């Protein structure tokens, strides 16, 4: 049997918080890739609700090391950084360090842009920062030769202005699958 492993790093969106069936983008991505390729895909979900890029940076080495058979690493982080008001230069450095760890573990890295936030009181104050964080994501991806998964136009699937319905979970997984299939791997 041929199988492939993918490491998925992120926050509650990666985790699949609020999906009404308890599913997640990594679970759906594994299913999509297995169906498309005839090979078995396992997506290790290292999404933790509420995490910022600084939180993820602290645990990235162990996540990469514990999934050393993964040749693809997916990264989607930053939504909670807006709430914590993480400065752009700190966010950029966090991304660079996380990506370096993934590359040290020989992963092809694909980084997702952040969807615009819907109306939600928790993020209201800094929701405009998403556009600025996306500029950083695009710059870092270019500088570090990473592919990008564009998550724009997924906002209509929000359940609460941040998290996704199951239909939205499927849309995110399809976007990840497309990015993997068309990547430079």
């Amino acid at each position: 049997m041929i199988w492939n492993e993918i490491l998925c790093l992120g926050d509650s969106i990666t985790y699949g918080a609020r999906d009404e069936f308890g599913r997640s983008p990594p679970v759906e991505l594994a299913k999509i890739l297995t169906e498309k390729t005839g090979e078995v895909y396992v997506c290790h979900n290292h999404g933790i609700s509420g995490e910022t890029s600084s939180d993820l940076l602290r645990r990235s080495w162990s996540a990469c090391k514990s999934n050393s058979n993964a040749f693809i690493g997916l990264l989607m982080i930053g939504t909670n950084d807006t709430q914590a008001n993480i400065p752009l230069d700190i966010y950029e450095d966090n991304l660079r360090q996380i990506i370096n760890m993934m590359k040290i573990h020989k992963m092809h890295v694909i980084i997702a842009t952040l969807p615009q936030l819907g109306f939600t009181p928790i993020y209201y104050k800094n929701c405009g920062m998403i556009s600025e964080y996306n500029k950083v994501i695009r710059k870092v991806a270019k500088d570090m030769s990473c592919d990008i998964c564009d998550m724009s136009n997924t906002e209509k699937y929000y359940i609460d202005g941040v998290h996704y319905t199951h239909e939205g979970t499927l849309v995110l997984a399809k976007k990840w699958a497309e990015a993997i299939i068309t990547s430079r791997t």
Side-chain angles (χ1 to χ4, degrees):
M1 173 189 325
I2 297 173
W3 79 90
N4 304 282
E5 295 183 41
I6 298 173
L7 174 64
C8 305
L9 296 175
D11 53 28
S12 57
I13 296 170
T14 300
Y15 176 76
R18 308 274 168 78
D19 180 292
E20 57 263 43
F21 303 114
R23 304 280 285 189
S24 68
V27 167
E28 300 300 344
L29 174 61
K31 180 181 177 200
I32 290 167
L33 292 175
T34 297
E35 289 171 353
K36 282 187 179 283
T37 66
E39 298 177 2
V40 175
Y41 275 81
V42 176
C43 294
H44 301 284
N45 188 341
H46 284 264
I48 296 182
S49 296
E51 278 205 335
T52 65
S53 61
S54 297
D55 298 320
L56 180 58
L57 175 58
R58 283 192 287 277
R59 66 181 180 86
S60 291
W61 183 263
S62 61
C64 291
K65 189 172 172 95
S66 69
N67 296 281
S68 60
N69 290 328
F71 292 112
I72 298 172
L74 307 180
L75 176 61
M76 185 176 184
I77 192 75
T79 302
N80 296 311
D81 291 60
T82 63
Q83 182 185 9
N85 204 21
I86 302 290
L88 292 173
D89 62 323
I90 299 294
Y91 178 67
E92 180 176 344
D93 187 62
N94 288 344
L95 291 181
R96 288 180 183 279
Q97 289 194 50
I98 293 165
I99 290 167
N100 279 334
M101 286 183 230
M102 296 168 89
K103 287 188 170 206
I104 287 168
H105 285 89
K106 302 190 183 346
M107 292 179 203
H108 176 81
V109 179
I110 304 173
I111 184 170
T113 60
L114 304 173
Q116 291 299 323
L117 294 167
F119 177 77
T120 177
I122 297 173
Y123 298 93
Y124 180 70
K125 185 172 78 172
N126 295 323
C127 66
M129 290 296 292
I130 293 290
S131 296
E132 297 304 310
Y133 282 40
N134 281 334
K135 289 177 188 173
V136 170
I137 289 167
R138 291 185 186 287
K139 176 181 184 278
V140 168
K142 182 179 178 189
D143 291 351
M144 299 185 78
S145 299
C146 300
D147 288 325
I148 292 180
C149 182
D150 185 351
M151 293 297 183
S152 61
N153 301 316
T154 61
E155 298 83 3
K156 68 180 176 182
Y157 300 102
Y158 281 151
I159 199 165
D160 62 4
V162 177
H163 303 99
Y164 290 88
T165 63
H166 182 68
E167 187 178 2
T169 296
L170 293 171
V171 168
L172 295 180
K174 287 174 186 171
K175 284 185 170 264
W176 278 121
E178 172 93 13
I180 290 167
I181 290 167
T182 61
S183 75
R184 296 175 256 167
T185 56

